[in-house]
Amino acid sequence: VEILLIELNGGASNYGVNELDLFERIQGFGFLPFWYDAKRSRLSSLSEPTATNTLFIHSIHLDEVTLRLQNAPKIVIRGTEW
């Protein structure tokens, strides 16, 4: 597994799961947490869970993913360039 996309929005507590524990456990497997800014094709490192989707990228694939984002062609959806 290279990348995990997980929505951490407080709902885990409904299942008896602490999101900070989950966040830290995933990092323990070598994944680094990021927020993805699609408009700029840029990753921003996260230090704690947020109320949005969290992109966990395995550390051995980070350079590859970053390069792919930098070189990805822009697309237009409903008049907005991404």
Side-chain angles (χ1 to χ4, degrees), residues 20 23-24 27 33 45-49:
L20 182 57
F23 188 84
E24 291 173 349
Q27 289 179 81
S45 181
L46 296 174
S47 60
E48 60 186 26

Side-chain angles (χ1 to χ4, degrees), residues 17-79:
V17 176
N18 179 299
E19 287 193 358
L20 182 57
D21 291 343
L22 179 61
F23 188 84
E24 291 173 349
R25 183 169 179 128
I26 293 170
Q27 289 179 81
F29 291 110
F31 289 87
L32 304 171
F34 294 93
W35 175 75
Y36 177 61
D37 181 348
K39 189 76 170 161
R40 295 187 179 111
S41 294
R42 185 176 301 154
L43 296 170
S44 297
S45 181
L46 296 174
S47 60
E48 60 186 26
T50 64
T52 63
N53 290 335
T54 300
L55 193 60
F56 288 93
I57 302 171
H58 199 283
S59 59
I60 63 173
H61 298 288
L62 183 57
D63 291 339
E64 175 189 350
V65 170
T66 302
L67 186 62
R68 287 181 69 184
L69 289 173
Q70 290 171 350
N71 295 324
K74 297 288 185 184
I75 62 170
V76 177
I77 300 174
R78 294 187 176 192

